[in-house]
């Protein structure tokens, strides 16, 4: 007996549609007029699944969780670029590839708003530009003012570990740092209050700018660099996560045997020495949790000041990350990979006049630009490729897209309600039933019973690529 083909896009029950209509009728549509400011907070290398508001039972993120309770949590938000530089260029211009004529900060600045950057918004080398206190790939036209937040990073005095080399020392020499091959496995814990760290400095400057510009419309973008490596934080942020109690991600036998070569991460336990040290893999999670918790504390400092100044009722707050991160899932480490742990990001929007809630609507980071523009009453530039999420803020059961697109050097991922379809430029592919297999253990791309689903998603992907002006055929040829 053949299996019935399930639509790749799911369906909306009639009762849900009826409730959605009632919700719309009850909404106060004057919300836009009350929004005079935008606070945009971006974390770095933060996977959605590590936050309490996204279901993590271990990591302590009370401030982001509090924001989630006040705002709209997008459970299915996806990055477009899989590394810092392309992702940040993408969401700051709302373009799938490359830059547009008017970036997000520039759009607000040219409409009379004070626009400021604190920390990393466009790409900065971490740790290189952080140690040097330099601008990286920042675009000056975005800002009225811009501020960097330097720090010592791996050179912070304290207990240094390079976990894939199994090195633990307090010595300050021979530490893996800028452009060095093992820098992504570094943690540093030390005694202190964290005020010397770049994210603490960014939060302090953000608080100062809120105080200074509270009486004028502002677009304030705050880029926090943790949990991007090196994972540096005061000892008290490590203490709640002893490595001995860490549970590593679930694994299955021969997990990567059905993943095509093009889909394998560049850094893997089977090829990197981190695979030889299971306890150090747990220590990687300890460092990641500690960095996330420290970053969360800085988010709390900024939001507390926003509340203290009485600006919460006139400020749209957006929290997100540039992309996710692998910490041993499938034996993979880091980013630049089309699987769910990398493509899925947290996205929380707390906008005055809109109800809190959770939405399973598909969203792309590119959607932030048109969303905050609409909330602020600004006309969205025609070149913008993202979709405004305001309809979802009004009604969490609404949707603005059938699939979310991620891309990396001619390789693409299409995430729909029920499926993840990954296609590589060599013609190989992966297909996952995300309802039955949310951790992506079984690639169904070559299973005959799923051939129709794969074909439908392949056509959808080609149409999306064509519409976006990207390549829409295997092997990089245009349709």
């Amino acid at each position: 007996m053949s299996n019935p083909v399930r639509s790749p896009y799911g369906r909306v029950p009639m009762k849900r549609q009826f409730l959605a209509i009632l919700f719309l009728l009850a909404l106060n549509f004057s919300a836009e007029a009350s929004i005079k400011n935008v606070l945009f907070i971006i974390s770095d290398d933060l996977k959605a699944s590590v936050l309490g508001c996204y279901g993590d039972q271990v990591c302590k993120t009370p401030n982001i969780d509090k924001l989630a309770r006040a705002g709209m949590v997008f459970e299915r938000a996806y990055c477009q670029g899989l590394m810092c530089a392309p992702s940040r260029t993408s969401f700051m211009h709302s373009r799938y590839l490359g830059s547009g004529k008017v970036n997000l900060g520039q759009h607000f600045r040219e409409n009379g708003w004070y626009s400021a950057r604190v920390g990393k918004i466009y790409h900065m080398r971490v740790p290189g530009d952080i140690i040097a206190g330099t601008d990286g790939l920042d675009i000056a036209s975005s800002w009225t003012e811009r501020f960097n937040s330097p720090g010592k990073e791996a050179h912070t005095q304290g207990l240094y570990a390079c976990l894939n080399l199994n090195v633990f020392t307090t010595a300050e020499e021979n530490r893996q740092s800028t452009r060095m091959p093992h820098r992504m496995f570094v943690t540093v814990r030390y005694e202190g209050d964290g005020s010397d760290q770049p994210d603490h400095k960014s939060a302090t400057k953000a608080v100062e700018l809120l105080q200074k510009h509270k009486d004028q419309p502002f677009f304030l973008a705050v880029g926090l660099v943790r949990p991007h490596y090196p994972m540096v934080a005061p000892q008290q942020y490590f203490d709640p996560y002893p490595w001995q109690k860490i549970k590593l991600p679930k694994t299955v036998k021969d997990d990567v045997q059905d993943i095509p070569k093009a889909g394998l991460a560049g850094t893997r336990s089977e090829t990197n020495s981190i695979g030889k040290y299971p306890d150090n893999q747990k220590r990687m999670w300890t460092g990641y949790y500690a960095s996330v918790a420290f970053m969360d504390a800085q988010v709390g400092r900024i939001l507390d000041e926003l509340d203290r100044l009485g600006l919460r009722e006139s400020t749209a707050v957006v929290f997100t990350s540039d992309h996710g991160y692998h910490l041993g899932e499938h034996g993979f480490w880091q980013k630049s990979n089309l699987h769910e742990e990398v493509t899925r990001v947290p996205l929380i929007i707390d906008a005055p006049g809109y109800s809190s809630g959770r939405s399973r609507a598909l969203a792309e980071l590119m959607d932030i630009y048109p969303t905050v523009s609409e909330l602020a009453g600004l006309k969205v530039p025609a070149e913008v490729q993202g979709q405004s999420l305001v309809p979802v803020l009004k009604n969490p059961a609404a949707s603005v897209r059938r699939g979310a697109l991620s891309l990396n050097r001619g390789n693409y991922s299409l995430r729909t309600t029920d499926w993840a379809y990954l296609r590589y430029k060599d013609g190989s592919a992966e297909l996952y039933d995300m309802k039955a297999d949310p951790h992506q253990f079984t690639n169904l791309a070559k299973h005959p019973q799923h051939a129709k689903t794969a074909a439908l998603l392949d056509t959808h992907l080609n149409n999306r690529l064509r519409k976006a002006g990207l390549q829409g055929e295997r092997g990089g040829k245009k349709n």
Side-chain angles (χ1 to χ4, degrees):
M1 180 177 177
S2 61
N3 294 329
V5 176
R6 189 169 82 239
S7 166
Y9 310 108
R11 62 188 180 88
V12 180
M14 289 299 295
K15 182 178 179 181
R16 190 174 170 192
Q17 294 181 31
F18 177 70
L19 292 173
I21 293 171
L22 291 179
F23 186 91
L24 283 171
L25 292 174
L27 189 74
N28 177 3
F29 290 98
S30 65
E32 292 91 338
S34 66
I35 296 174
K36 299 180 175 62
N37 314 301
V38 174
L39 173 60
F40 185 21
I41 305 175
I42 306 101
S43 183
D44 202 346
D45 285 12
L46 176 67
K47 60 167 74 189
S49 59
V50 80
L51 298 176
C53 55
Y54 281 86
D56 191 277
Q57 301 291 312
V58 178
C59 197
K60 302 181 189 306
T61 53
N63 298 291
I64 297 171
D65 295 348
K66 181 180 178 182
L67 177 66
R69 291 191 296 272
M72 184 65 68
V73 177
F74 288 82
E75 297 180 354
R76 292 173 172 166
Y78 293 85
C79 63
Q80 281 52 78
L82 307 181
M83 296 179 288
C84 298
S87 177
R88 290 163 182 269
T89 298
S90 175
F91 68 65
M92 285 300 290
H93 292 90
S94 194
R95 305 283 299 176
Y96 285 103
L97 272 180
S99 58
K101 296 178 182 178
V102 181
N103 60 64
L104 178 55
Q106 178 184 3
H107 184 46
F108 276 84
R109 183 180 61 77
E110 291 182 348
N111 278 278
W113 295 48
Y114 170 77
S115 175
R117 168 186 69 80
V118 180
K120 178 180 176 179
I121 302 300
Y122 295 99
H123 179 55
M124 291 180 175
R125 289 178 302 122
V126 180
D129 285 316
I130 305 304
I131 294 172
T134 45
D135 291 329
L137 299 182
D138 190 58
I139 299 177
S141 65
S142 307
W143 320 113
T144 311
E145 293 184 286
R146 53 183 178 169
F147 305 90
N148 297 329
S149 300
K152 293 183 178 180
E153 298 294 79
H155 305 286
T156 300
Q157 188 174 7
L159 179 58
Y160 161 95
C162 186
L163 294 169
N164 69 326
L165 299 182
N166 200 36
V167 171
F168 302 87
T169 182
T170 57
E172 296 184 36
E173 61 272 9
N174 299 320
R175 295 189 175 195
Q176 289 283 313
S177 189
T178 306
R179 299 188 186 277
M180 293 182 180
H182 307 292
R183 65 192 184 281
M184 58 286 300
F185 292 101
V186 167
T187 67
V188 182
R189 59 180 75 194
Y190 72 104
E191 298 297 332
D193 61 4
S195 59
D196 58 330
Q197 293 303 305
D199 284 353
H200 192 285
K201 294 177 182 179
S202 289
T204 298
K205 176 56 70 173
V207 166
E208 176 188 318
L209 294 176
L210 289 173
Q211 295 168 350
K212 185 176 180 180
H213 299 281
K214 66 184 187 317
D215 296 323
Q216 67 180 115
F218 62 77
F219 175 81
L220 177 57
V222 184
L224 304 174
V225 297
R226 298 283 88 89
H228 193 295
Y229 58 78
M231 293 175 283
V232 184
Q235 179 66 44
Q236 59 266 32
Y237 291 94
F238 279 81
D239 288 339
Y241 313 109
W243 67 266
Q244 297 91 339
K245 294 185 178 181
I246 296 293
K247 293 182 179 180
L248 293 176
K250 177 183 176 181
T251 58
V252 298
K253 186 178 180 181
D254 299 326
D255 180 16
V256 300
Q257 295 304 305
D258 60 357
I259 297 178
K261 183 177 180 180
L264 298 175
T267 304
R268 307 190 299 278
S269 292
E270 66 177 355
T271 58
N272 188 284
S273 55
I274 190 66
K276 297 191 298 185
Y277 305 111
D279 289 348
N280 287 357
Q281 294 176 35
K282 294 181 179 181
R283 289 184 173 98
M284 281 290 292
W285 275 91
T286 293
Y288 194 85
Y289 279 146
S291 296
V292 171
F294 180 71
M295 178 273 297
D296 175 82
Q298 312 319 311
V299 172
R301 294 176 59 216
I302 298 167
L303 295 180
D304 285 349
E305 185 63 17
L306 194 72
D307 288 338
R308 191 190 72 80
L309 294 170
L311 295 174
R312 199 59 172 269
E313 295 307 312
S314 60
T315 303
V317 180
V318 178
F319 176 84
T320 191
S321 174
D322 51 1
H323 48 71
Y325 206 72
H326 276 304
L327 282 168
E329 299 89 354
H330 311 290
F332 295 172
W333 298 88
Q334 299 187 73
K335 43 205 171 185
S336 305
N337 184 273
L338 290 171
H339 292 94
E340 186 86 350
E341 288 297 325
V342 174
T343 59
R344 183 172 177 240
V345 293
L347 177 59
I348 303 168
I349 302 177
D350 180 16
Y354 294 90
S355 299
S356 60
R358 304 183 71 89
S359 176
R360 296 180 67 78
L362 291 159
E364 296 180 346
L365 286 185
M366 294 204 317
D367 299 335
I368 293 171
Y369 187 150
T371 301
V372 296
S373 295
E374 182 176 346
L375 289 172
L378 303 183
K379 184 178 179 180
V380 179
E383 66 182 24
V384 161
Q385 292 181 312
Q387 300 291 321
S388 174
L389 297 172
V390 169
V392 183
L393 297 180
K394 293 177 178 179
N395 170 19
S399 63
V400 299
R401 59 175 72 254
R402 295 167 62 211
L405 181 65
S406 302
L407 53 153
N408 182 37
R409 298 170 180 170
N411 305 309
Y412 304 101
S413 168
L414 180 68
R415 181 65 159 87
T416 70
T417 301
D418 293 342
W419 298 89
Y421 179 61
L422 288 60
R423 193 180 77 193
Y424 302 97
K425 58 186 175 183
D426 66 0
S428 60
E430 298 176 60
L431 174 67
Y432 297 99
D433 182 340
M434 297 302 292
K435 293 185 74 173
D437 182 23
H439 299 295
Q440 300 182 325
F441 289 132
T442 305
N443 179 10
L444 303 173
K446 293 183 178 180
H447 290 216
Q449 64 267 43
H450 297 289
K452 186 172 181 179
T453 296
L456 287 171
L457 291 168
D458 196 67
T459 298
H460 182 176
L461 176 58
N462 281 335
N463 290 337
R464 283 291 305 274
L465 296 176
R466 208 167 26 239
K467 184 178 179 181
L470 303 170
Q471 295 168 331
E473 284 280 3
R474 290 182 179 87
K477 297 178 181 179
K478 287 192 176 182
N479 281 345

